[in-house]
Amino acid sequence: MRGVSGLERPAIQWTFVVCGVALIGISTWTGVALVRAWRAIDVARDEARQASLDREQTEASLARERAARESYMLQLGRERKAAVPAAHPTLTLTPVKTRSASGPELAVPSTPSPVVQLRLVLPPRAALDRPFTITLRSWRSGEVLWSRASLRAGDANGKPAILATVASDVLTPGPYELLLTAGTPPSEVAVYEVSIVPTSTPH
């Protein structure tokens, strides 16, 4: 077999050696780059999968919160609707200037309705931008019989008033004092007095 002419020269031999080394280096670098690229692709795929899971969890959490908020708003609407029904009788009271020494002057008959809406008309120049508390007490003993806090000013016959519903069995026949306070610490806003008398039955 006849050899290739010129390969016996050192310069040509070194050229082939250098080219071989360069090819090996390029192949090695390409392999390392491919491995890094595959790893980067795997990391990106894992991150995309995790982002998808996080997004699904966030959407599920938002859906639960939205459903809970809608349920709360529906329940709140039902409570508000039931709190001030048109059929319920009302008891509108105005502040007394001085506490009576012999008993409340105002007397109203009891009602068979299970619920009564209290309407406490606010005194003039009373601040309206604060929560109010109503405390119902026995006029004779001062015992607290009922209380309702965190009330906001409303309207009664065109006048600022505090509205609240109370079970009629709390207002059994007898004299009562209602104390209206506001703020923290609570300060007295007005006092109301009323006597509940039995409903007369026709003969």
Side-chain angles (χ1 to χ4, degrees), residues 37-101:
W38 289 335
R39 290 178 179 175
I41 292 173
D42 291 338
V43 170
R45 187 183 296 113
D46 292 339
E47 290 179 350
R49 187 182 301 110
Q50 185 62 42
S52 178
L53 291 175
D54 292 342
R55 183 174 63 255
E56 292 176 357
Q57 293 176 355
T58 301
E59 291 176 352
S61 177
L62 289 175
R64 288 193 298 269
E65 292 180 0
R66 190 179 302 111
R69 183 166 59 252
E70 291 175 354
S71 176
Y72 172 76
M73 294 304 296
L74 288 174
Q75 180 64 23
L76 183 62
R78 286 194 294 266
E79 291 179 356
R80 287 180 174 176
K81 184 177 180 180
V84 193
H88 289 343
T90 60
L91 177 58
T92 303
L93 303 176
T94 56
V96 296
K97 295 181 179 180
T98 57
R99 287 180 167 87
S100 173

